[in-house]
Amino acid sequence: MNASTNPMVVIELHARAYREAKDVLVERAQALHDEMQAAQRRAMRGLRNAVAAVNEKRDELQHALEEQPHLFVKPRTAVFHGVKVGFKLGAGKIEWEDDDQVVKLIRKHLPQQFDLLVKTTEKPIKDGLKNLTAVELKKLGVTVEGTEDVPVISDTTASVDKLVKALLKGAEDEAQS
């Protein structure tokens, strides 16, 4: 290209080169995706059967344990074939229906522990602030960045964009490692 070439033609040529490179990437990513899908379909029946077998054997083991709890007094557990079996105290689960009521009762009965038992959070909501004008944001001490013109390069075809993005991210992460 010489100096008299129209700049828009130069950009168009770069866009074509980008499209050609992207098409190769999309084609290869789609081929990989198709192979992975086919492999997954081939393996799925065996995986489902294996999961069902594991669940069945786990249920049988649990039933056997529940039938013989006296075998696990001291020690409370044993290891057979790399599988730890026995009993332990459950971790428990705490629940309540009304946050406000629990906070009120903590304040009443355990005021010295209030800060340890109650989370108080106040922070601006970005989505709400986005609806304010620049003048209002300035009054609040909020600055807006990234509003200047930036170059746009976006593929208008969306055939396998998610897969391509995931593969590109993986390639970028590998390159940075």
Side-chain angles (χ1 to χ4, degrees):
M1 286 178 243
N2 59 38
S4 65
T5 303
N6 181 337
M8 193 59 94
V9 171
V10 172
I11 291 172
E12 186 265 333
L13 291 172
H14 285 296
R16 181 188 311 150
Y18 172 77
R19 165 55 51 215
E20 290 168 356
K22 182 92 184 263
D23 286 347
V24 169
L25 174 63
V26 168
E27 181 180 318
R28 290 178 183 172
Q30 186 63 53
L32 173 62
H33 179 70
D34 293 346
E35 284 182 42
M36 290 169 38
Q37 290 283 328
Q40 186 177 6
R41 281 191 300 276
R42 287 191 302 271
M44 198 51 70
R45 175 177 283 167
L47 287 172
R48 283 190 186 114
N49 291 341
V51 166
V54 166
N55 287 336
E56 179 184 342
K57 298 304 177 191
R58 186 188 184 291
D59 290 346
E60 290 172 4
L61 176 57
Q62 182 172 337
H63 180 72
L65 286 168
E66 290 168 348
E67 292 289 313
Q68 305 296 331
H70 63 279
L71 297 175
F72 299 95
V73 176
K74 270 199 176 180
R76 306 249 311 138
T77 60
V79 177
F80 302 109
H81 309 286
V83 179
K84 185 176 183 178
V85 297
F87 292 88
K88 68 176 184 174
L89 288 176
K93 180 179 177 182
I94 62 172
E95 296 178 335
W96 59 88
E97 291 183 21
D98 183 357
D99 289 350
D100 293 335
Q101 180 65 17
V102 173
V103 169
K104 179 179 159 186
L105 292 172
I106 289 171
R107 186 172 276 130
K108 177 180 179 182
H109 297 292
L110 302 167
Q112 69 282 7
Q113 296 180 51
F114 186 84
D115 290 341
L116 296 173
L117 302 174
V118 177
K119 178 180 177 181
T120 306
T121 305
E122 287 186 11
K123 71 182 222 181
I125 302 170
K126 274 190 181 179
D127 288 339
L129 292 172
K130 286 179 183 177
N131 295 323
L132 299 178
T133 66
V135 172
E136 291 169 323
L137 290 171
K138 189 173 182 177
K139 284 180 187 176
L140 300 176
V142 176
T143 58
V144 181
E145 295 179 2
T147 58
E148 64 279 351
D149 283 345
V150 294
V152 173
I153 300 172
S154 93
D155 191 348
T156 57
T157 62
S159 56
V160 289
D161 276 355
K162 287 182 182 178
L163 178 60
V164 170
K165 283 180 184 177
L167 291 171
L168 285 175
K169 179 159 178 32
E172 289 170 1
D173 292 346
E174 265 185 43
Q176 291 175 358
S177 300

